[in-house]
Amino acid sequence: MTCRHNIIAAIAAATLAIVATSCSGKPEVLESVPATATTVVRVDLERFLTEAGCTVNDEGITLSDDLRQALDTATSARAAAADIFTRIKGLSLQTAVYFEMPDVEGGVLVLPVDDDEAVESLSKPEMKLIKDKDHGFVTFTDAERKTSVAINDNLCWMAALDPDATMALAKKARRAAKKESIADIKWKADALADDVPLRAIISIGETHTDIFGDNAYQSAYACVASGNGDSLLNIKAHIADADGNRLPPFPTPGAIDPDFIRFLSECHNVVAAIAIAEDFNWDAFLDSEGKSLPSANKIFMSSMEPHLRNIDGTIAVGLRIDFDNLSTDSLDFCVVVKMKAGGADGVIDKIREMAAESRQQLAMRDGFIRLPLENRTLRIGKIDNYLIVANHQPETAAGCAVAPDLFSGKCAAMVAKGLSADKSLDFTLTSTADDSLLRITADGSAKGALPKLIKFLLAKSNGDSGLRQLFGSDDEDFADDYPKNLIEL
């Protein structure tokens, strides 16, 4: 997995930790997490499970009917992990930490536990687990050796790994944490304080540096807090450097001009935009992007460099996405780029030049160049100073379903509406120069959104033929990799 995929993989891992498996007490779990951990998620699982419709009591965890049904169709490893987790006795669900380490396979969920009670509950014949011992740990593994639990010193370590990998991770983590734990670094410990149900720090330095070429982000972290106010799905985040000082979400952020909305239509239920400031460091960006490109693509990027430098502010994209009917044929998109005076004409002239060199005839209709693709026609044209690229006819008077004021004054934003079958889940992510806010609602309210979100994520992570077609993957492990495929798209 390349560095630019780490942030997506980390968020996916944290989400699965919440779904499949949550901060006060006995012992302090952060003292067992190495200071070098690349992802740390501290979460009150009892509150998450309760809000998700599950029952938590002394007898264990009873999943909601929707979650149980979703897990019945899940991969065997995920179903086994959920089954084991819900039947362990003696866990302190309010104090759980999921973390990942550099150069170590997978991640691990760690919770305080009553050793004797947990061992007794997992040793019952009906659990059908393989029991063993390893350096003071009592270990349990499912028959397929895909989920392991290790118990020692009133801590329960659980990972979707075979027992050897789980124990290697746990022992390496304990050794490293004895030298320096995450609790020893004040700003990280403060960022993971338990005054809200979920806090996380996620290393994104390689991703940001790779994309933007700005070394100020080399050791940057995303700091996340969830559960402010009355909803667990009100999520706030900011970026910090290696000393905990705040950084903007990306170098030299600008301000989005919501005027682009007029080029999108009611079919676009996902809209994203980012603002490129006048002092954006194109030299660093192009240099960092060029390092990972094949030679042919480097030549193309070099030819497009002057046109990239003519971008004047907002870049936006509108998509029509229905996860229940997802394919390349149904994916409508429209890209809108504000250009400097003459910039859009320059791009269009370049396309004409490239077509002439390859002896390709370009059709023109309604002011747009039409390029035939395999199943669709790509349209490229100019309206005012905007360059527009779409695989359908742009309609400037159709009216977009997304309100423009959600983008006004932000440096980046994304709004997604009606992605699932019942069309009720909406996502709004906005970012200013200081922090980012994510709000997830169902039927216009955050109340009741969590169980729908978890069910949606489980259904999609279990594999989806539409997703496979869209990203061109026939891999059996596609469900684990599709966040990586998504970021590549």
Side-chain angles (χ1 to χ4, degrees):
M1 183 178 293
T2 65
C3 57
R4 76 177 58 214
H5 302 144
N6 287 348
I7 183 66
I8 299 297
I11 292 172
T15 302
L16 292 177
I18 295 167
V19 171
T21 39
S22 176
C23 286
S24 76
K26 44 167 201 182
E28 173 50 68
V29 182
L30 290 181
E31 294 178 356
S32 299
V33 180
T36 56
T38 54
T39 296
V40 185
V41 183
R42 185 173 185 172
V43 56
D44 179 349
L45 268 178
E46 182 169 336
R47 180 171 170 185
F48 269 91
L49 289 166
T50 301
E51 187 162 324
C54 304
T55 301
V56 181
N57 54 36
D58 292 341
E59 297 303 311
I61 302 166
T62 302
L63 297 178
S64 66
D65 291 341
D66 281 346
L67 289 186
R68 175 53 64 189
Q69 183 179 359
L71 283 168
D72 285 344
T73 61
T75 61
S76 58
R78 188 168 298 150
D83 186 60
I84 294 170
F85 182 79
T86 57
R87 296 167 71 177
I88 301 176
K89 299 293 180 63
L91 292 176
S92 293
L93 293 174
Q94 300 85 4
T95 310
V97 173
Y98 171 88
F99 70 90
E100 297 174 0
M101 297 169 59
D103 304 319
V104 177
E105 176 190 3
V108 62
L109 183 70
V110 186
L111 305 92
V113 70
D114 182 303
D115 286 3
D116 294 336
E117 195 172 354
V119 169
E120 181 182 358
S121 63
L122 293 174
S123 299
K124 293 180 178 179
E126 59 265 29
M127 293 296 293
K128 299 179 181 179
L129 299 176
I130 303 168
K131 183 179 179 181
D132 204 348
K133 291 186 177 181
D134 189 333
H135 289 78
F137 287 87
V138 181
T139 65
F140 297 88
T141 308
D142 69 304
E144 295 185 13
R145 295 172 61 85
K146 291 184 177 179
T147 300
S148 304
V149 177
I151 297 168
N152 183 295
D153 291 338
N154 296 115
L155 287 177
C156 173
W157 303 66
M158 184 175 183
L161 300 168
D162 66 61
D164 293 337
T166 299
M167 286 308 306
L169 192 159
K171 287 185 283 190
K172 183 173 182 177
R174 290 208 310 179
R175 288 194 302 269
K178 285 181 179 178
K179 295 179 181 178
E180 186 177 36
S181 75
I182 205 92
D184 297 325
I185 302 176
K186 186 178 186 306
W187 80 263
K188 289 185 178 181
D190 290 345
L192 294 165
D194 59 356
D195 56 337
V196 292
L198 181 146
R199 284 189 176 271
I201 57 173
I202 303 164
S203 174
I204 60 169
E206 289 187 0
T207 302
H208 264 58
T209 305
D210 183 39
I211 293 174
F212 297 109
D214 192 322
N215 289 329
Y217 292 83
Q218 188 65 57
S219 301
Y221 289 83
C223 302
V224 182
S226 169
N228 285 310
D230 60 355
S231 171
L232 292 170
L233 295 180
N234 286 335
I235 301 171
K236 189 173 184 178
H238 69 271
I239 294 179
D241 65 16
D243 298 317
N245 302 310
R246 288 203 178 203
L247 293 169
F250 49 88
T252 58
I256 295 172
D257 180 357
D259 182 54
F260 74 87
I261 285 284
R262 64 189 169 107
F263 303 110
L264 305 183
S265 71
E266 59 185 6
C267 81
H268 299 122
N269 64 328
V270 177
V271 180
I274 187 171
I276 303 297
E278 286 188 16
D279 58 347
F280 183 78
N281 191 339
W282 282 107
D283 290 332
F285 174 80
L286 292 168
D287 181 62
S288 63
E289 287 299 300
K291 291 177 181 177
S292 60
L293 291 176
S295 297
N297 289 356
K298 286 182 181 179
I299 295 172
F300 174 76
M301 180 68 80
S302 177
S303 70
M304 295 305 295
E305 180 179 337
H307 307 293
L308 290 173
R309 293 179 184 273
N310 273 328
I311 294 174
D312 186 29
T314 302
I315 303 172
V317 59
L319 301 167
R320 179 170 72 92
I321 295 181
D322 179 357
F323 274 104
D324 299 301
N325 181 33
L326 194 58
S327 69
T328 52
D329 292 336
S330 67
L331 184 69
D332 288 342
F333 70 82
C334 180
V335 179
V336 181
V337 184
K338 180 69 176 297
M339 305 292 289
K340 296 176 183 177
D345 293 312
V347 174
I348 294 171
D349 289 344
K350 181 64 178 178
I351 293 171
R352 292 182 184 278
E353 177 187 324
M354 293 168 64
E357 290 175 354
S358 61
R359 301 178 184 277
Q360 183 178 1
Q361 294 290 329
L362 293 180
M364 189 85 173
R365 185 181 301 174
D366 300 323
F368 282 79
I369 293 172
R370 297 167 66 90
L371 296 177
L373 301 179
E374 185 176 350
N375 297 317
R376 307 289 294 271
T377 298
L378 191 67
R379 296 163 172 84
I380 305 172
K382 170 197 167 185
I383 299 178
D384 298 334
N385 281 328
Y386 288 95
L387 177 70
I388 299 174
V389 181
N391 66 347
H392 59 88
Q393 183 63 42
E395 302 179 48
T396 58
C400 184
V402 176
D405 58 1
L406 293 172
F407 296 87
S408 183
K410 308 297 190 300
C411 63
M414 183 178 74
V415 180
K417 304 172 71 67
L419 296 178
S420 58
D422 58 14
K423 307 299 181 187
S424 65
L425 278 177
D426 295 343
F427 300 77
T428 303
L429 172 63
T430 59
S431 182
T432 66
D434 295 319
D435 51 36
S436 301
L437 297 172
L438 171 64
R439 181 169 172 78
I440 303 171
T441 60
D443 301 315
S445 172
K447 186 177 182 180
L450 183 60
K452 287 192 175 184
L453 173 64
I454 294 174
K455 185 178 179 182
F456 173 78
L457 290 173
L458 277 173
K460 297 310 159 191
S461 64
N462 288 342
D464 183 289
S465 59
L467 287 172
R468 292 175 188 273
Q469 180 184 350
L470 180 63
F471 298 119
S473 174
D474 295 318
D475 190 346
E476 292 182 359
D477 296 325
F478 175 78
D480 296 326
D481 291 338
Y482 90 80
K484 177 179 66 177
N485 298 328
L486 181 62
I487 195 66
E488 288 215 349
L489 177 69

